[in-house]
Amino acid sequence: MVCCQEVFTYWHLRLLVRRMRSFRQVSYRPAPAGPAGGLVTFSRRPVSGTGYRRFGRPPRAPGVPRASRFQARLKGALVTRLARPGLCVINTHPVANHDGDWSEANRYYPLHRAQFAVLARVVNEAGPRAVVCGDFNIARESPLFGEFTAATGLADAFGGACPPTFRAEYLPAGATPHCIDFILTAGEVTVESAALVFGGKELLGYVSDHIGLRARLSLTPTG
């Protein structure tokens, strides 16, 4: 399976579908301009169900730009269920924090806390056979990340050892890159291996301003 974020238009979706022919199952929820939340999950295995949960109206957060508040209203989690194996794949992309500061004093903190509270409910409803993938837009060092994993019991597929995933080349001078992309697994999902993809430049440059993540997973019932 491949989880993509920022697929904002149907033109981009058609382009990906044409170039990813072996991934015949395409999971997304339609919105006026493109897939809801820009989220699309491609699968080689049959999809038994697709749902989309919006994060809802953002709370008051003084100092947050109107554009960010508008984007926050459109964000959510795409839930894709596979029948064989019985697995729930949750693809997500919370609102961006343009400050690079994930402390409780930061202006984006209330928005992120509200969004991750909804995401935690989605994860807990999915059960022990679930995996969560996406650009979380919060750093691994953020207290919000610790709160979220504690509330859901999810484990990092990289065991906390993943390097920064946002490329330093796209940050302001002197800014520190962080790991903000994750593959997190629930209790009955075992990680066999994890690796980075698209780490270097291709012929025309970088594939993305993010480095991709890949994990090989298996299902292991615990009860």
Side-chain angles (χ1 to χ4, degrees):
M1 301 187 73
V2 177
C3 294
C4 295
Q5 300 86 43
E6 297 190 348
V7 185
F8 291 128
T9 71
Y10 290 114
W11 182 88
H12 290 96
L13 177 60
R14 288 192 296 269
L15 181 64
L16 289 169
V17 169
R18 287 199 301 268
R19 298 300 180 93
M20 299 173 64
R21 295 179 181 177
S22 67
F23 293 88
R24 297 181 180 275
Q25 302 291 312
V26 185
S27 175
Y28 69 96
R29 273 299 173 90
L39 300 173
V40 182
T41 299
F42 296 86
S43 175
R44 287 180 173 144
R45 294 181 177 271
V47 172
S48 62
T50 297
Y52 184 76
R53 178 81 66 87
R54 286 191 185 276
F55 290 142
R57 183 176 180 178
R60 291 182 57 84
V64 172
R66 288 185 178 180
S68 294
R69 290 186 59 81
F70 174 77
Q71 292 169 4
R73 296 175 70 98
L74 304 178
K75 297 290 187 176
L78 176 69
V79 181
T80 304
R81 292 190 177 275
L82 304 182
R84 300 185 308 274
L87 181 69
C88 183
V89 179
I90 302 168
N91 184 0
T92 192
H93 187 201
V95 70
N97 179 337
H98 299 287
D99 298 340
D101 171 13
W102 293 278
S103 68
E104 295 186 28
N106 183 258
R107 57 181 176 166
Y108 287 95
Y109 190 89
L111 269 67
H112 273 151
R113 189 169 196 178
Q115 292 187 337
F116 278 93
V118 176
L119 183 60
R121 290 196 291 272
V122 173
V123 172
N124 289 329
E125 290 169 4
R129 291 192 161 200
V131 56
V132 184
C133 308
D135 172 7
F136 280 34
N137 272 319
I138 62 170
R140 186 169 51 216
E141 301 82 8
S142 166
L144 280 174
F145 184 74
E147 289 179 12
F148 175 69
T149 54
T152 58
L154 294 172
D156 183 358
F158 285 78
C162 187
T165 56
F166 192 85
R167 299 185 190 277
E169 294 88 344
Y170 293 88
L171 291 171
T176 302
H178 291 270
C179 175
I180 60 174
D181 301 87
F182 299 94
I183 299 175
L184 306 178
T185 58
E188 294 188 5
V189 182
T190 300
V191 179
E192 297 182 358
S193 63
L196 304 179
V197 293
F198 306 124
K201 280 188 176 181
E202 304 296 326
L203 184 62
L204 299 178
Y206 291 119
V207 173
S208 169
D209 52 0
H210 293 249
I211 297 173
L213 306 180
R214 178 179 63 196
R216 184 180 294 275
L217 309 174
S218 61
L219 295 179
T220 307
T222 57

